[in-house]
Amino acid sequence: MIIKLITAFGEIRTHNKVAGIEFPRKNELQVVFKDTFADLLIPISPSMDEQLLVSIFYDYLNRPESRLAIA
């Protein structure tokens, strides 16, 4: 399971809109975007699998309200 989560982290990290990923707290993933998106915090639980993690990421990207307002 750990290997699959690492693969999911790699998929998220290599997305063209992502500047990096961080782990600000235990069991929490922060996705930092290059521009136009607010940072995404994802709580990670032991029961989470890679498909859920990646689907949360892509659902976030597809929501218009995830984009930062440009003044």
Side-chain angles (χ1 to χ4, degrees):
M1 178 168 150
I2 296 295
I3 302 282
K4 290 182 179 181
L5 281 179
I6 291 171
T7 303
F9 295 153
E11 180 177 340
I12 292 169
R13 173 62 188 100
T14 58
H15 191 279
N16 64 351
K17 294 182 181 180
V18 174
I21 58 173
E22 301 172 1
F23 298 91
R25 293 191 190 114
K26 185 177 179 179
N27 298 328
E28 187 175 80
L29 170 70
Q30 180 175 2
V31 181
V32 180
F33 292 92
K34 293 178 183 174
D35 57 8
T36 69
F37 284 89
D39 289 357
L40 170 62
L41 288 172
I42 303 173
I44 299 173
S45 72
S47 62
M48 179 178 276
D49 67 1
E50 77 281 2
Q51 290 177 336
L52 178 58
L53 182 62
V54 171
S55 68
I56 290 169
F57 172 71
Y58 283 109
D59 286 346
Y60 181 79
L61 286 181
N62 292 323
R63 297 181 64 124
E65 60 271 16
S66 300
R67 298 179 194 274
L68 294 173
I70 299 174

